[in-house]
Amino acid sequence: MDTKIAIITPFLAMQHIAQEVVNERSDEWPQGIQVVVGDLGVGLEQANKAIAQGAEVIISRGGTASLISSQIELPVVEIQVTAFDILRALKQVSGQTKKVGVVGFRNVIYGCEDFGEIWGVSLQEITLTNEQEALEKIIAAKQQGINVIIGDAISIKIAHQCGLQGILIQSGKEAIYKAIKQAQQIARVRSKEQERFELLRTIINSSTDGILAVDERTRITILNPVAEEVFHLRAEEALGRKVGDVIPGTRLPLIVARGEAEIGEIQKIGSRVIATKRVPIKLNEKVVGAIANFQDVTQLQRYEQSVRQKLYAKGLVAKFTLEQVIGTCPVMEEIKKWVRQYAGTDSTVLITGESGTGKELLAQSIHNLGKRSGGPFVAVNCAALPENLLESELFGYEEGAFTGAKKGGKAGLCELAHGGTLLLDEVGEMPLALQARLLRVLQEKEVMRLGGDRVIPVDVRIIAATNQNLLQLIQERRFRNDLYYRLDILRLHVPPLRERKEDIPMLIRYFLHKHSMLKPHLVDISEAAIDRLKQCQWPGNVRELANILERTILLSEGPVITEATICNVLGVAADGSTNGDSGKNLLQSLEMETIRNVLQEENYNYCRTAERLGINRTTLWRKLRSRPGGR
């Protein structure tokens, strides 16, 4: 338990009383209270130990409290001597014919002579203004016939040295309890102040502006790291000094004298151009200091440029390069050669191939290899958005173009791709009405926002990708003939994975390395397992292979992926026969996953899904109903 309060008692009896109070009311101070004994110098040593252990407030009494208070910076709460404490001491001399002197400061012993009348004791107040007077006044009291001294530990010690009887004023539980409650309140206030101080210090030091503050005497009170850099000063050397002595020509003393702010001034400090704001600090209309704020104009311009670049590039970056296209078979080498050639032009590219073959990866590679690599790369899936939303996303809209239109309008993806590349994925799914508008962008290099009355020039390269037969869509009047010939200038056809099985081992190694963090102990895959994967038809192509391998890695228990693990994942026996648990052969085990993938890509449009799968809707429904979890 952290010690927040330490009670240092000048004598042992008082320690026992204080410990009793702490124990009896422990529920009131959960932070912990330490009680130790130590008079004067020993008490000071105990105070320093308590501070080292985290104490925030010290409680003590009498001369020990005064000594501790003079030597440490923490608050010290003094246990006050109450009337009850003095009465308890007087009780010890009640009925005796002795003259008694009560030694202490005026605020402690004032009115004690009345207590003497109550107890029938001749009582004299011996008032101290400082502790050094104690010896002189006690000696004088002895000469006046006083033979009993009531007081604190120091007074009693002196009394004994003078041959007098000494009675120590013991502090009762009520005085100690009151001191603890006062210390608790001080600790809470200090904690809040420390929180506010740390918050302010963090704000000031983390500010990108230079901050310099002075007090009413123009002494530097704050100099944050940016201001240190601006003025080539170190805070530890500048704090507490007159600002005019440290920064010649500064106007802060004038701000303190006049109490008027100066805002928006431009000044040159060395090679920097600085925008300065100087404001007086006032407390109850009285100027108690001033603060100056410095902004490096050149740095502000750099920040603004950086922010603009980040906003511009957010989500508009091509992450893949040609080096990440895995495959060394003759077909893939030929495709890579065409990618390099196509990257050197601005002509439109049409990329065809089944789902999961990596068409977008090739599109990004073309972008990154070309002269537009420094510009944005914007990809939009034409099948993922309804027609009205796709139109507003592609071409943007003006304020008030439709209910819910964003205030100020919104730039479309064609505009955001200005100077870069726009990938139209699943372009065969684009509605006919939007195909006409896209054709205008290709022909005229300009776009008009929804609800707008002006054309916006755009410089954008179009790359289209599809897994459909666009010529067949043209025959079915679902795709514009003129748009097709605008898109089909440069063509890339990505073969399915089943037609380039020689690349499967390389792809396997790549995905194992990519997912190595899933199972750090997994280091390899057996040749038998690779052969088993090469036997698959992979209707989902590279995407499906990647998913299967990720699943295999998670299920694998040893350091090497075995053929048995692969068979378990695929749902077949090692000899190629049907697995008794699943009741499916290899093709059947993958059929439902393929149906789900295509169904999701078609936004659960069963007509288009059945068409892409080459089956009718009745067959599709039958397959979905016959497989658990098909829908």
Side-chain angles (χ1 to χ4, degrees):
M1 182 162 47
D2 293 336
T3 300
K4 298 296 182 181
I5 298 172
I7 303 175
I8 300 172
T9 63
F11 46 89
L12 189 61
M14 187 175 179
Q15 182 192 23
H16 295 325
I17 297 172
Q19 192 64 60
E20 285 182 13
V21 174
V22 170
N23 294 340
E24 291 170 357
R25 311 293 286 269
S26 60
D27 59 313
E28 297 185 33
W29 26 78
Q31 287 79 19
I33 297 177
Q34 180 185 18
V35 183
V36 295
V37 65
D39 189 22
L40 297 175
V42 176
L44 179 59
E45 292 178 7
Q46 294 285 19
N48 285 322
K49 288 181 182 178
I51 293 170
Q53 295 171 2
E56 296 179 356
V57 184
I58 303 295
I59 298 175
S60 192
R61 202 191 83 162
T64 303
S66 299
L67 177 62
I68 294 173
S69 180
S70 67
Q71 296 295 318
I72 68 172
E73 294 183 358
L74 287 186
V76 177
V77 175
E78 185 172 357
I79 301 172
Q80 298 296 324
V81 175
T82 68
F84 291 109
D85 298 330
I86 296 175
L87 286 173
R88 276 191 289 266
L90 282 172
K91 186 178 179 181
Q92 298 181 42
V93 294
S94 177
Q96 300 183 31
T97 58
K98 295 181 179 180
K99 292 187 66 177
V100 179
V102 179
V103 181
F105 292 95
R106 182 174 177 80
N107 64 329
V108 175
I109 67 171
Y110 180 72
C112 285
E113 291 178 349
D114 295 335
F115 297 157
E117 294 179 7
I118 295 173
W119 292 100
V121 175
S122 176
L123 188 64
Q124 180 178 333
E125 296 176 2
I126 303 173
T127 305
L128 303 178
T129 56
N130 58 68
E131 293 181 2
Q132 287 70 32
E133 296 178 342
L135 176 61
E136 178 185 346
K137 291 197 172 184
I138 289 174
I139 291 174
K142 179 180 179 181
Q143 293 173 351
Q144 295 172 10
I146 290 176
N147 47 29
V148 178
I149 293 293
I150 295 176
D152 61 9
I154 296 176
S155 300
I156 299 309
K157 184 177 181 180
I158 294 173
H160 290 161
Q161 291 174 353
C162 294
L164 301 176
Q165 181 184 355
I167 299 176
L168 182 66
I169 299 177
Q170 298 274 11
S171 290
K173 290 184 177 181
E174 67 279 356
I176 295 172
Y177 176 77
K178 185 178 179 180
I180 294 174
K181 296 301 288 185
Q182 183 181 352
Q184 273 190 315
Q185 182 64 27
I186 291 173
R188 281 193 291 267
V189 171
R190 278 178 56 84
S191 179
K192 291 293 183 184
E193 289 179 349
Q194 186 67 24
E195 287 179 13
R196 285 194 290 267
F197 172 77
E198 289 298 327
L199 175 62
L200 180 62
R201 186 175 67 86
T202 302
I203 292 172
I204 290 173
N205 288 342
S206 62
S207 173
T208 56
D209 298 346
I211 299 175
L212 169 65
V214 298
D215 61 15
E216 67 275 12
R217 297 183 182 180
T218 73
R219 295 174 300 191
I220 298 174
T221 55
I222 295 174
L223 187 73
N224 78 339
V226 177
E228 287 182 295
E229 184 182 349
V230 169
F231 296 108
H232 302 290
L233 291 172
R234 295 177 61 189
E236 56 266 30
E237 297 173 354
L239 292 177
R241 296 176 60 186
K242 290 271 189 178
V243 67
D245 297 337
V246 178
I247 307 173
T250 177
R251 293 180 61 82
L252 278 177
L254 190 61
I255 302 300
V256 173
R258 292 181 177 177
E260 297 177 356
E262 294 179 352
I263 298 175
E265 295 217 356
I266 302 296
Q267 63 182 125
K268 191 169 184 180
I269 300 178
S271 60
R272 299 170 181 258
V273 178
I274 303 294
T276 307
K277 178 169 63 176
R278 308 179 188 92
V279 180
I281 303 171
K282 295 184 179 181
L283 182 62
N284 296 327
E285 299 303 318
K286 179 184 177 182
V287 177
V288 294
I291 187 167
N293 175 280
F294 305 95
Q295 293 181 316
D296 189 329
V297 175
T298 306
Q299 186 66 38
L300 284 175
Q301 291 172 337
R302 285 199 293 266
Y303 285 149
E304 181 181 5
Q305 183 180 11
S306 175
V307 169
R308 287 181 182 273
Q309 289 175 347
K310 288 178 181 178
L311 288 175
Y312 184 73
K314 186 178 180 181
L316 310 179
V317 178
K319 301 177 182 178
F320 295 101
T321 62
L322 193 59
E323 288 71 23
Q324 293 170 277
V325 178
I326 309 300
T328 57
C329 69
V331 176
M332 290 305 296
E333 289 296 338
E334 188 74 9
I335 287 175
K336 292 179 183 180
K337 182 184 74 174
W338 290 338
V339 166
R340 294 187 183 94
Q341 291 177 350
Y342 292 171
T345 74
D346 264 348
S347 300
T348 304
V349 181
L350 177 62
I351 306 177
T352 60
E354 294 180 7
S355 178
T357 51
K359 296 185 292 296
E360 182 172 349
L361 193 150
L362 291 175
Q364 293 191 24
S365 300
I366 292 171
H367 172 82
N368 281 328
L369 280 171
K371 62 183 180 181
R372 294 176 178 267
S373 59
F377 178 87
V378 181
V380 57
N381 189 322
C382 300
L385 300 172
E387 180 176 347
N388 58 343
L389 184 55
L390 179 60
E391 183 178 19
S392 64
E393 285 296 309
L394 269 178
F395 307 113
Y397 56 81
E398 296 291 352
E399 181 177 344
F402 51 84
T403 302
K406 185 179 178 182
K407 186 177 181 180
K410 178 182 176 182
L413 297 178
C414 289
E415 290 180 59
L416 291 178
H418 179 74
T421 303
L422 175 64
L423 170 63
L424 300 172
D425 199 8
E426 303 298 344
V427 70
E429 300 295 331
M430 181 177 287
L432 283 168
L434 297 190
Q435 292 178 27
R437 295 198 63 179
L438 177 61
L439 184 62
R440 181 176 181 84
V441 175
L442 289 169
Q443 291 175 336
E444 307 298 334
K445 300 294 184 181
E446 60 188 26
V447 64
M448 182 181 292
R449 294 183 181 179
L450 277 146
D453 56 3
R454 62 186 178 91
V455 294
I456 303 171
V458 290
D459 172 23
V460 59
R461 181 183 193 175
I462 301 291
I463 298 180
T466 183
N467 58 13
Q468 299 191 63
N469 186 333
L470 294 184
L471 290 175
Q472 182 179 342
L473 294 181
I474 291 172
Q475 292 177 359
E476 298 171 357
R477 298 184 180 277
R478 292 169 52 194
F479 202 82
R480 291 180 63 104
N481 187 62
D482 49 2
L483 177 59
Y484 172 76
Y485 289 112
R486 275 287 178 180
L487 295 176
D488 191 29
I489 297 175
L490 302 176
R491 180 186 293 184
L492 280 176
H493 178 71
V494 189
L497 188 56
R498 61 184 172 274
E499 294 180 9
R500 56 183 186 104
K501 290 190 174 183
E502 58 266 48
D503 288 336
I504 289 179
M506 185 181 298
L507 287 165
I508 291 172
R509 302 289 182 190
Y510 170 78
F511 289 122
L512 287 180
H513 176 73
K514 180 180 178 181
H515 298 302
S516 60
M517 293 304 295
L518 295 175
K519 287 283 185 71
H521 69 274
L522 187 63
V523 295
D524 206 353
I525 181 170
S526 70
E527 290 299 324
I530 293 175
D531 290 340
R532 175 65 67 178
L533 291 171
K534 289 174 68 175
Q535 295 173 20
C536 300
Q537 293 302 305
W538 300 116
N541 294 292
V542 179
R543 183 187 294 123
E544 184 181 4
L545 174 63
N547 293 339
I548 289 293
L549 284 172
E550 185 173 355
R551 189 185 314 160
T552 302
I553 291 170
L554 291 171
L555 294 176
S556 180
E557 297 180 354
V560 178
I561 295 175
T562 64
E563 182 183 9
T565 304
I566 293 295
C567 290
N568 180 46
V569 172
L570 296 176
V572 296
D575 60 1
S577 62
T578 301
N579 185 300
D581 294 334
S582 65
K584 300 176 182 179
N585 59 26
L586 179 58
L587 186 58
Q588 290 172 328
S589 70
L590 299 174
E591 181 182 49
M592 183 51 61
E593 184 173 355
T594 302
I595 291 175
R596 290 196 195 100
N597 289 339
V598 175
L599 194 60
Q600 186 176 9
E601 290 172 4
E602 295 295 343
N603 292 318
Y604 294 93
N605 185 308
Y606 293 94
C607 289
R608 292 203 299 265
T609 300
E611 183 179 345
R612 281 183 56 185
L613 292 171
I615 59 178
N616 57 45
R617 286 189 61 183
T618 304
T619 303
L620 175 62
W621 277 107
R622 178 174 53 78
K623 289 180 177 292
L624 288 171
R625 285 196 300 268
S626 65
R627 303 288 189 267
R631 180 65 180 87

